[in-house]
Structures are given as structure tokens and as C-alpha cells.
Amino acid sequence: MVQIIISSGGAGGLAQWVLLELQGEVEPRQSGRLAGSLLGDLHYTREGVPVLIVGHHILYGRVVQLEKPFAVLVKRGGGEAEPAELHAHYTVTALIKTKLLFKTRPKPIITNVPKKV
Amino acid sequence: MLKSTWGTAELCSCMQTFGSKMSSLMKLNVIIRGEKDEQAVLCSKDKTYDMKIADTSNMLLFIPGCKTPEQLNADQASCNIIHSQIAGFSNNYWELRRCRPKLKKLRKLLMEDPYEGPDSQNDQTLTISKYTTEDLLSLIQASEEEIMHQLQVIDACKIGGYWRILEFDYEMKLLNHVTQLIDSESWSLSKVPLRTCLEELGSLEPTEMIEHILLSYGRKYIDDGEVYFEMHEDKICRAIAQMLLQNAVKFNLSEFQEVWQQSVPEGMTTRLDQLKGLALLDRTSRPETISLLKVEDLPEDNQERFNSLFSIREKWTEEDITPYIQDLCAEKQTVGVLLTKYARSSMQNGVKVYNSRRPIS
């Protein structure tokens, strides 16, 4: 039988991450690569509303406390083959209690308003 | 302000936990189990969960060290730009739902080689179909505690380090030794002394087996430093009924009831409700009949169980079908909910009956 072990990491506490949930897909500009590129800037208003600026769009979201927290799992051993290891092993890298949900339509930020001719 | 850049996304997955306290999540230690042809389940120390991959059209990005508004408010001084990397992203996550542990396989494995007693020739053979606790943990899709509990429920015992179920005839032989002794000594059924049983029966059977049968069919207690057993009348009557019923396909109900009462130990009273989940009565035939139908012989999957029941009998009353579907109920689920889902109801002679939703071949 396949047995995959999932365990929490070391003795120290687990890192707490945050989930960012966006509708649709994110594409790199001008067919570049995602890795190393800037996604955008995240701000919070005084009322605690998260605001995300991606490219020339602005998105308003909200903070959601997750009823069932997520555990982020990383497979041990990565890409290398480990013939000695009978069972696959995942480690819990972090826990996510909060998510920033952005589901409203992005608004374009217009910086140059043409004057009437 | 948080500037988020894409890191080289590590291969990571996201799993929705079972909503427990953070402190227990910190010490998470669970195992995913399954054979290639089984659906995966996740087992904690004492619970089992179905695993499903939940797809979402939304994109989930994991941001380590990202601060929430509350955390930032607490730190008024900083007005800086925090650079943070997106650790990974995903379109799906693993969803866990508490489920019934898949324990039917446990009985099936132990029935491969039931223990027939020390005199039996079979026991000297190979240990291929014998299972240790470790073996069972690697073969059954259930948590350790659920497996250990089920071993107790089915009256399994450890012989030579292996978990064994007694072969039914041998079990009845042991039970018979005990009930005959109770009768000849005129003991009360609720005060059967262990020591005397071992002394009197020790020459006939291994002492571990005598003690095992007492534990299976009685409740152990200590009185004035001595160990006694309070015998389970219902369980003993039920076992004797099984012994009688397995010899033929069907029995005349009234004849059976007479023979059954005569076969049980002195002082015990037989009742038909002792046979729930063991035997099926047919009150529509003339004469009324009774036949063996054990719930543990039926399929484990909900739909398959109902198909099986409806092919045995077309229409069931709730009273008759309940013992055969009770074990399918999930936490906080009732038999009524199952019937609504898997059966169709109608009225027959003023009584509500259930039949299959689909034609049974």
C-alpha cells in the first residue's frame, strides 16, 4: 500500500503565510517569465481593506479569516529520486489562516486624460 | 506597502486542514494511505478522512511573511516598502472530509486464516496470511485507533504475535465449555469466576482461549480481589442463533424459535430483537420464515449495499432495513437521510416501504 507521511517541521513554530486569491489567471507581460518578475503592490487602506495594484489595474479586496486553515506542504527530496525512501514524505512548511480575496473587476488606472480638442 | 515578486515557485501543494486548533496543527502527523486501486484517505491518530482535490478557477498565491492590516496597525512606525516573494501558486487544493474508516478489509484479512484451536493442523503452516499490528496498519485505510477498536469489536485476539479471529465452530466449542460449566456449578450468569473456569477447563483448552472467550462474551470486573465475568445474555443467544441458522437456507420461524430457546443456557431468554443485523424475518410468507443475513457480509460502499439489499428483497420496511444500513451513517447522519438518498418510498397495505431507485438486474 502507498503510505505518504505528512508531518510538521521542526520543534519551532510553523511560519504563518497569507493566501492571495485572484480571479482568473495571471500572465507575464510581453510573454516574459513569471519568475523574478514583479506582480504588483499591496496596500491596506485605513479601514484595513486590501488594495492590489497590478500593472495599470487596481483591485479592491477583503480580508477573510479561513474557517479551515490551510497547510502548505512541500515534498521532501524535491526532484531527486530517492530509492532508499519507501514512502513519500511531505513536510508542512507553513500554515495559512488568512486570505486576501480579490474578486471584484480590476479597474484601470487612467493617468493621462486627453484634453478635449 | 508590499511589493510581491514571483520567486521560483517550489513544488508545493496546499491542503485544507480539518479546522482544528492551531496548536494541534503545529504537531501535524498524518498519513495518506491507499492501494493503487483504492481512493486515497488521510489518517490521523484516531480519525479517517476522504481526500479530494478541489479545483478552483481562482488563482491561489502563497505569500510568506505577508502582514494583515491588524499586524501593520500594531506597528505604526513602519512606513516602509516590504519586499516579499510569492512562494508558490496553485489552482487546486486537497480537501478533507471525515469519513467512515474502511474496516471491512480487516475482517476479510483475518478470515483468510481463522484460528481453529491448538490441535488444528493448519496452524503449523506459513505465516503468509497471518497479520501483525504493523501489517494491518499498512494494509487498512483507517487510523490506528480505529483499527485497534475494530479488533476489539470483532473479538480478535493475539496469538503468537499475530491477530487472529476464531473459527466459528471452535468459538462455539469454547463457549459451550463455559456455559456447561456455569450450568453444572449453578453459578449466577452475572458472577462467573475466572479462576475456577481456568482450573476446570484448563485441561481441555489453552487458558488464553478460555479467558478470551470469557472476555468476548462477558464483562470483566473485580470483586473482593477476584476476577469475575458478567455474561452477555444477548450476545450468547445471538451466537447460538447463528449456529442454528447457518445450517440451512431458511427455517420455519416458529420451529426455529422453539429450538433456539431450548438451545440457550438455563436462565437465558431468547428474543427476536437480539438478531438484528444477523437474521432476516419474512412475515409475508406462510409459514413465516427466518434466514441468516449478516450485515458484515454485505458491501461496504453505500450504493453497493443498497443494491445488494434490494436484490435480496424488493421492498423493505424501515424497521427491517435499519440494522443493515445503520453502520453506513456518517457522523450525525441518520438512517432517514440515507433512505431518502438511496431509496424510494411508497405505501403498501398502509405501511411505508422502501424500494430501489433504479432497476436491479
Side-chain angles (χ1 to χ4, degrees), chain A residues 1-10 12-14 16-26 33-50 52 63 65 67-75 78 90 92-93 95-103, chain B residues 1-20 22 25-36 38 42 56-73 86-89 91 93-94 96 105 137-141:
Chain A
M1 174 186 279
V2 174
Q3 294 206 73
I4 300 172
I5 303 165
I6 302 175
S7 59
S8 292
L14 280 173
Q16 301 247 13
W17 290 5
V18 167
L19 195 68
L20 195 76
E21 188 169 339
L22 302 172
Q23 269 189 342
E25 285 176 25
V26 178
R33 279 175 56 242
L34 280 177
S37 316
L38 173 71
L39 168 70
D41 301 339
L42 176 67
H43 305 253
Y44 293 105
T45 65
R46 244 181 258 276
E47 291 83 34
V49 175
L52 186 65
V63 179
Q65 296 302 326
E67 210 178 81
K68 291 188 187 174
F70 278 100
V72 184
L73 311 175
V74 176
K75 198 164 186 175
Y90 283 87
V92 180
T93 319
L95 288 174
I96 301 175
K97 277 194 301 184
T98 324
K99 76 173 175 189
L100 306 174
L101 177 60
F102 291 92
K103 57 177 190 181
Chain B
M1 176 168 82
L2 216 75
K3 266 190 155 3
S4 306
T5 42
W6 298 90
T8 39
E10 237 184 285
L11 206 70
C12 55
S13 325
C14 195
M15 176 178 86
Q16 193 179 50
T17 59
F18 15 97
S20 23
M22 289 312 259
L25 289 176
M26 297 292 199
K27 296 179 242 131
L28 204 70
N29 216 317
V30 294
I31 299 190
I32 300 175
R33 292 196 162 113
E35 298 280 5
K36 288 202 178 77
E38 288 170 335
L42 185 129
T56 166
S57 57
N58 291 357
M59 193 175 214
L60 308 171
L61 305 173
F62 314 135
I63 321 241
C66 175
K67 300 222 185 286
T68 58
E70 294 83 38
Q71 290 166 326
L72 285 171
N73 273 341
I86 297 168
F89 61 95
N91 279 107
Y93 56 90
W94 298 352
L96 303 177
K105 194 173 174 186
L137 284 171
S138 71
L139 288 165
I140 311 283
Q141 285 185 302

Side-chain angles (χ1 to χ4, degrees), chain B residues 44-85:
Chain B
S44 66
K45 190 163 159 293
D46 61 346
K47 297 191 178 79
T48 308
Y49 301 83
D50 269 325
M51 283 188 75
K52 295 253 154 51
I53 294 191
D55 267 321
T56 166
S57 57
N58 291 357
M59 193 175 214
L60 308 171
L61 305 173
F62 314 135
I63 321 241
C66 175
K67 300 222 185 286
T68 58
E70 294 83 38
Q71 290 166 326
L72 285 171
N73 273 341
D75 190 14
Q76 292 284 355
S78 72
C79 227
N80 297 324
I81 296 172
I82 305 167
H83 288 267
S84 102
Q85 285 219 336

Side-chain angles (χ1 to χ4, degrees), chain B residues 94-140:
Chain B
W94 298 352
E95 200 179 66
L96 303 177
R97 200 176 305 175
R98 178 97 195 262
C99 68
R100 282 182 286 122
K102 323 257 186 257
L103 294 168
K104 190 177 164 77
K105 194 173 174 186
L106 178 61
R107 178 183 281 269
K108 177 166 158 267
L109 291 176
L110 296 184
M111 293 290 272
E112 283 173 5
D113 190 12
Y115 183 67
E116 292 176 18
D119 305 325
S120 159
Q121 293 305 312
N122 297 359
D123 244 56
Q124 277 107 54
T125 52
L126 327 144
T127 55
I128 287 180
S129 35
K130 293 209 184 89
Y131 303 92
T132 60
T133 310
E134 281 306 309
D135 292 333
L136 293 175
L137 284 171
S138 71
L139 288 165
I140 311 283

